[in-house]
Amino acid sequence: RLEKYPRQMTDLLYTEKELVQSLREYIKAEETKLASVKSWANKLDALTRVSTTDPEGYLAHPVNAYKLMKRLNTEWNELESLVLQNPSDGFISNMSVHRQYFPDEEDETGAAKALMRLQDTYQLDSEAFSKGKLPGMQSDAFLTVDDCFDMGKTAYNDADYYHAVLWMQQSLKQLDAGEEAATTKAEILDYLSYSVYQMGDLPRAIELTRRLVAIDPSHQRAGGNLRYFEKLLFKQLNELNQAYQPASEEPIQLGTYNRPKDHLPERETYEALCRGEGIKLVRKRSRLFCRYQDGFRNPRLLLKPMKEEDEWDSPHIVRYLDVLSSEEIDKIKELAKPRLARATVRDPKTGVLTTAQYRVSKSAWLEGEDDPVIARVNQRIEDITGLTVDTAELLQVANYGVGGQYEPHYDFSRRDEPDAFKRLGTGNRVATFLNYMSDVTAGGATVFPDFGAAIWPRKGTAVFWYNLFKSGEGDYRTRHAACPVLVGSKWVSNKWIHERGQEFRRPCGLTEVD
């Protein structure tokens, strides 16, 4: 036993030495963790000082809005995991209290898709967002390599390879420029090469996959993908009897690949109008006038008639100036904010209200009994239009944040959805009265793709048009859209006026299209 004893003791000494080494590694890990937490705290302290100085201005920039979603959904969770390695009761209890208000995965994905929607509509390359170079705004908001990579992954996971390519390419560009990142070049090339293949560009997919193999020869998919791509390309070349052409050396950018078609037939026209590239009104302007409007000798407008401007002649769309005061707008927003919820649309097949990607906004409904201001606004709309609002829908208040939109749609119900307003018992929506309650720094126009009108928000003004001819037939030219908000926040309120009660205020014409 004594013979074994010294050997066991020496083993214990070495064991103790290993434990000391393990202890030092533990201390080092704790110090690293603490340094990491301190770094987080310093960065977030500086960030929140800037963001809370002007919250609305800060969130008006789409990159800031996206990064807020990302921070609260992803990065604060990472920080929580870091702290949980040696639980801190104060931090965890705080996290538990506030977690119910955090955005979730769907919110972060939605914010990423909003950036992509803006990118498409306003033809902005990924670098414009990455560097914060947006029209009408100077900002130091930026996206890192990791941010761009996550944007690309969001698109990739949605099988949206067009956007995956654009964002992975931007991530790679910034990484190649020397920016530090947790994401590796191999990870980016893995996603980028396959996305490029999905876009039908085999030569470039092969070139990117070769770069991936050179960086990581043991990559589990790269070798197989490379052989498959090469086999596919040479098969295509043989079938077409063409010679091999190496991949273009031009970097991938906006316009390298065509965006896939989607459900919206007038997509290109709609987006061009949103960018202000619509029909030039040189000759049209000679037929557009402005005037004072007293609501057909309405007593409330005789002494102070409304200023009315033609926005379009046929169908007739007018804008009214100074419809709402700043005080009234503030009150309407104050009443609406607690009630705002994701806006819904009516499913044409089932009639059930549901959310949809083509309408991204929050809305609330206000009654005249809610506040004298609402009753006053309802009365003003009746005075201006000469139509009764007794059968109109409640005043709807909508807020379109960054990327908020409502793609082309009709306000009236068509023949294929005859029961859309049946439960109201007030007929179809004869007219729309739309109040602009904010200016918008960039984007947010109301556009009519059928005839090329674009109406830009001006705080305090309102636009009005008829959705139906006097016969009650729908005017299909009034299909319209709310363009995505690029920079800023758009507040509107609208009144949908119905047919019932208008029989003597807007009698039938002699033809179907009067």
Side-chain angles (χ1 to χ4, degrees), residues 332-333 335-345 353-355 359-366 393-401 405-406 429 437 490-494 496:
I332 293 170
K333 287 163 70 172
L335 292 167
K337 280 178 180 177
R339 311 181 193 189
L340 287 174
R342 174 73 187 268
T344 55
V345 294
L353 291 175
T354 181
T355 59
R359 187 181 190 187
V360 183
S361 64
K362 289 190 171 183
S363 64
W365 300 86
L366 301 180
E393 293 174 49
L394 302 181
L395 187 71
Q396 181 182 222
V397 181
N399 176 224
Y400 296 83
Q405 63 164 5
Y406 194 173
R429 288 172 175 166
M437 303 199 301
K490 176 183 172 185
W491 283 88
V492 298
S493 58
N494 65 277
W496 279 312

Side-chain angles (χ1 to χ4, degrees), residues 39-100:
S39 173
W40 264 95
N42 292 335
K43 181 178 76 171
L44 292 167
D45 186 44
L47 188 72
T48 52
R49 272 203 304 273
V50 172
S51 63
T52 54
T53 302
D54 178 16
E56 289 197 4
Y58 179 81
L59 289 174
H61 197 293
V63 167
N64 287 335
Y66 165 68
K67 292 194 75 168
L68 177 63
M69 295 291 106
K70 185 186 175 195
R71 277 199 307 279
L72 289 175
N73 178 53
T74 303
E75 296 175 5
W76 274 97
N77 286 339
E78 292 170 3
L79 182 57
E80 181 186 15
S81 298
L82 185 64
V83 173
L84 270 172
Q85 291 170 10
N86 186 15
S88 167
D89 293 340
F91 174 75
I92 298 305
S93 63
N94 261 335
M95 285 289 290
S96 300
V97 168
H98 294 293
R99 179 173 296 284
Q100 58 184 314

Side-chain angles (χ1 to χ4, degrees), residues 326-375:
S326 292
E327 292 74 21
E328 287 172 328
I329 288 171
D330 290 342
K331 187 63 181 178
I332 293 170
K333 287 163 70 172
E334 178 192 322
L335 292 167
K337 280 178 180 177
R339 311 181 193 189
L340 287 174
R342 174 73 187 268
T344 55
V345 294
R346 193 176 301 279
D347 187 310
K349 294 180 181 177
T350 64
V352 175
L353 291 175
T354 181
T355 59
Q357 281 302 313
Y358 63 83
R359 187 181 190 187
V360 183
S361 64
K362 289 190 171 183
S363 64
W365 300 86
L366 301 180
E367 300 185 50
E369 292 77 16
D370 290 335
D371 192 273
V373 166
I374 307 303

Side-chain angles (χ1 to χ4, degrees), residues 174 321 338:
Q174 290 179 212
L321 278 57

Side-chain angles (χ1 to χ4, degrees), residues 104-123:
D104 57 17
E105 190 73 27
E106 185 181 355
D107 293 317
E108 183 180 339
T109 299
K113 287 183 176 179
L115 286 190
M116 295 174 207
R117 189 158 56 240
L118 294 172
Q119 182 177 24
D120 293 340
T121 305
Y122 298 105
Q123 293 185 344

